[in-house]
Amino acid sequence: MKVCIIGSGNWGSAIARIIGENAAKYDEFDTSVHMWVFEEMIDGKKLTEIINTQHENVKYLPGYKLPENVVAIPDVADAAKDADILVWVLPHQFVPKICQQLKGKIKKTAFGISLIKGVHIKDKGLELISQMISDELDGMRVYALMGANIAKEVAAGNYCETTIGCSDKERGAQLKKLFEVKTFRVVVVSDEHTVELCGALKNIVAVGAGFVDGLELGDNTKAAVIRLGLMEMIAFAKAFYKNVEVSTFLESCGIADLITTCYGGRNRRVAEAFIRTKKPIEELEKEMLNGQKLQGPQTAYEVNQMLKKEGLEDRYPLFTAVYKICYEGHPANEFIECLHDHPEHI
């Protein structure tokens, strides 16, 4: 089976280290792994050329070598044309454009797995990224991988866990083999939608955690944000999706990812700077993330559109406060006020 990685930011490059290793190790995978790279010039050289000669993504994951069997390709259709497994790992805002470029140019038998933590609004309804990819690419089956997986720690080989949502046992076993190494433990569950939804919603909570840090309110307050945020994640999943397994929230994709993101992720970091500096989020994103995109505020906006449509903003005060502070100029202390009278306390 031939694997193509669609995306090459810090997370895409970190996961490429694992995929490249396993593709070379196991006979069922083609040794050569294509990685689509958005072409950029770095000190007068093309990024793809640097990756293919130095075997390092010097912009997004400097200091970590990529396996030599990972080949950077600047044209996404060329990268994916022979692939059996498409690994999606790019900011969710760019997915529709990439799907358009791949339409009619990939194998009909190919399937995908999304590592993208976000959601999409379609006709004022919420759509998971896996569903959006599937709809755009003639019903291609797309699964999800989410977990407490900060890219640089994964690249460094620090032990962590992740969750794959896949209801097909055979493909679940294949994906586990593709992604699991000694320091990256994979658990496969059948609750696909919940796995993916956790990956998106936790970024909203992480923005709230960043507000707490910016306001210097301490760990007790942050713990309350994490707990109430988790409760809103569970309530949201149950309200909008069927057959949600609450136990999935106890996997790495749920509580573990939530804790990690609220202490170490980029959404928390930028949200703290937003409170301290009063600069716009877009400006901070450019200053702090080296070309990477922030998911939390955008997801808060998209979720809020859904909540407004259903008249449910009051049921999700934490999600709603993050949206209003980020997009409507509400003062940050409103975030703490929303915690006092949270529905979970009634």
Side-chain angles (χ1 to χ4, degrees):
M1 303 183 80
K2 190 162 184 60
V3 181
C4 171
I5 303 167
I6 301 175
S8 57
N10 63 344
W11 184 211
S13 298
I15 210 67
R17 284 167 55 85
I18 291 173
I19 291 174
E21 177 185 333
N22 284 341
K25 181 178 178 182
Y26 296 116
D27 290 340
E28 59 253 62
F29 302 117
D30 191 300
T31 303
S32 178
V33 175
H34 287 180
M35 180 171 71
W36 171 65
V37 174
F38 178 77
E39 194 68 280
E40 301 178 61
M41 298 302 292
I42 310 291
D43 297 328
K45 292 183 181 178
K46 292 179 178 178
L47 182 56
T48 52
E49 291 179 3
I50 295 172
I51 291 172
N52 288 334
T53 54
Q54 298 180 26
H55 306 292
E56 180 181 347
N57 189 333
V58 295
K59 179 166 184 181
Y60 295 113
L61 196 68
Y64 297 95
K65 291 294 183 182
L66 297 171
E68 293 189 11
N69 60 320
V70 174
V71 181
I73 298 175
D75 184 286
V76 70
D78 283 346
K81 64 183 177 182
D82 296 320
D84 300 290
I85 303 175
L86 301 176
V87 179
W88 295 79
V89 53
L90 70 164
H92 75 280
Q93 301 95 313
F94 304 137
V95 170
K97 182 180 177 182
I98 296 302
C99 285
Q100 286 302 312
Q101 294 176 47
L102 290 177
K103 228 167 194 175
K105 297 177 182 176
I106 55 176
K107 282 185 175 181
K108 294 193 177 192
T109 54
F111 64 94
I113 181 164
S114 172
L115 282 61
I116 302 168
K117 295 178 176 179
V119 289
H120 173 68
I121 291 295
K122 183 177 182 182
D123 301 324
K124 292 198 175 177
L126 199 66
E127 184 177 52
L128 296 174
I129 300 302
S130 62
Q131 188 60 51
M132 178 171 66
I133 296 168
S134 181
D135 289 347
E136 292 283 347
L137 296 178
D138 303 318
M140 182 178 76
R141 198 74 171 84
V142 183
Y143 307 102
L145 181 150
M146 304 284 156
N149 307 141
I150 291 176
K152 283 193 175 180
E153 296 181 19
V154 174
N158 297 344
Y159 180 82
C160 65
E161 301 172 315
T162 200
T163 313
I164 289 177
C166 179
S167 57
D168 182 310
K169 287 188 177 179
E170 183 180 346
R171 286 182 174 175
Q174 290 170 336
L175 291 168
K176 183 180 173 77
K177 202 165 193 180
L178 181 63
F179 286 99
E180 186 166 82
V181 292
K182 189 175 181 181
T183 57
F184 194 69
R185 182 79 167 84
V186 176
V187 173
V188 181
V189 300
S190 61
D191 190 6
E192 297 174 17
H193 288 162
T194 305
V195 169
E196 189 170 1
L197 203 54
C198 282
L201 297 178
K202 57 93 186 183
N203 284 328
I204 305 176
V205 185
V207 173
F211 293 164
V212 169
D213 290 337
L215 294 167
E216 299 183 354
L217 294 173
D219 288 336
N220 290 343
T221 305
K222 188 186 281 192
V225 168
I226 292 171
R227 189 188 80 82
L228 293 171
L230 179 63
M231 298 308 290
E232 289 195 15
M233 288 168 61
I234 294 170
F236 188 93
K238 284 182 170 182
F240 293 104
Y241 291 91
K242 296 177 181 177
N243 303 318
V244 169
E245 296 284 346
V246 175
S247 61
T248 303
F249 289 91
L250 300 179
E251 297 291 347
S252 183
C253 64
I255 186 63
D257 196 9
L258 180 61
I259 292 169
T260 295
T261 307
C262 287
Y263 278 93
R266 72 180 78 152
N267 289 282
R268 186 219 62 81
R269 200 157 38 95
V270 174
E272 178 183 359
F274 175 70
I275 299 300
R276 292 186 186 279
T277 67
K278 314 297 186 198
K279 291 181 180 179
I281 283 174
E282 295 80 5
E283 186 179 335
L284 291 168
E285 185 180 63
K286 289 175 185 174
E287 287 180 7
M288 298 175 66
L289 298 185
N290 191 33
Q292 295 291 301
K293 290 294 179 184
L294 204 62
Q295 303 295 338
Q298 178 73 18
T299 303
Y301 173 83
E302 289 164 340
V303 164
N304 186 260
Q305 301 309 297
M306 187 78 164
L307 296 178
K308 261 185 192 160
K309 180 189 172 189
E310 301 294 330
L312 293 173
E313 283 183 292
D314 290 346
R315 297 280 300 277
Y316 299 87
L318 191 151
F319 287 176
T320 301
V322 169
Y323 162 75
K324 287 182 175 179
I325 293 165
C326 288
Y327 288 97
E328 294 185 354
H330 286 228
N333 60 8
E334 275 193 16
F335 182 70
I336 304 308
E337 289 172 17
C338 89
L339 304 180
H340 289 291
D341 302 318
H342 198 283
E344 287 298 325
H345 294 146
I346 297 170

